[in-house]
């Protein structure tokens, strides 16, 4: 089992920045690919970003490319999502997820462990 706890969400003005953190515990963290997903009110969950277990492969949704950066600190068992130039349409609950393999995935169904989420609200 892997336990994931997200933090860092909050209210920010359009154009601002936030950094989300996802602290993992349980199984060997370094063997898991990690991802960030989000779900806005009334919408389906969508992929945001993912990083392979070695950190050499990352993937982003087109909507966040150039604005968001995913990174991992294996010593701290923590994954980060730096979000810059935030827009009102980035408002959502952001979830951290872990796969049981080290390869990045963009589908929620590919992930086996999920955090409870952290709220991000971007005001216009």
């Amino acid at each position: 089992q892997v336990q994931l706890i997200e933090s860092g969400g909050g209210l920010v003005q359009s154009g601002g920045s936030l950094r989300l953190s996802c602290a993992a515990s349980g199984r060997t963290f370094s063997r898991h690919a990690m991802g960030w997903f989000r779900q806005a009110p009334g919408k389906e969950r969508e992929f945001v970003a993912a990083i392979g277990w070695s950190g050499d492969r990352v993937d982003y949704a087109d909507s966040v490319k150039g604005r968001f950066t995913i990174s991992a600190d294996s010593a701290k068992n923590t994954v980060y999502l730096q979000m810059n130039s935030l827009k009102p349409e980035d408002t959502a609950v952001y979830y951290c997820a872990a796969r049981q393999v080290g390869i990045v995935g963009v589908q929620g169904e590919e992930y086996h462990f999920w955090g409870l989420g952290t709220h991000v609200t971007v005001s216009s």
Side-chain angles (χ1 to χ4, degrees):
Q1 281 290 80
V2 175
Q3 292 79 42
L4 304 172
I5 300 177
E6 304 95 335
S7 61
L11 173 64
V12 64
Q13 289 187 332
S14 181
S17 298
L18 283 174
R19 188 177 79 157
L20 305 183
S21 299
C22 172
S25 61
R27 275 198 198 164
T28 306
F29 169 74
S30 63
R31 295 294 178 180
H32 294 81
M34 304 294 294
W36 286 97
F37 291 77
R38 67 187 182 185
Q39 187 166 18
K43 295 187 177 181
E44 294 186 353
R45 182 181 61 196
E46 64 175 358
F47 169 75
V48 175
I51 186 167
W53 74 270
S54 64
D56 61 344
R57 172 69 190 273
V58 295
D59 204 355
Y60 296 96
D62 288 342
S63 59
V64 306
K65 279 181 181 176
R67 300 189 298 123
F68 291 11
T69 303
I70 188 171
S71 61
D73 185 337
S74 58
K76 296 182 177 179
N77 283 352
T78 300
V79 175
Y80 303 97
L81 185 67
Q82 178 67 43
M83 306 187 296
N84 299 327
S85 302
L86 282 162
K87 305 174 181 180
E89 51 264 45
D90 294 317
T91 295
V93 178
Y94 283 71
Y95 297 92
C96 175
R99 294 189 74 185
Q100 289 181 322
V101 296
I103 304 171
V104 299
V106 301
Q107 300 295 330
E109 294 73 17
E110 297 176 291
Y111 289 78
H112 305 91
F113 307 102
W114 293 83
L116 296 179
T118 184
H119 289 256
V120 172
T121 302
V122 184
S123 63
S124 57

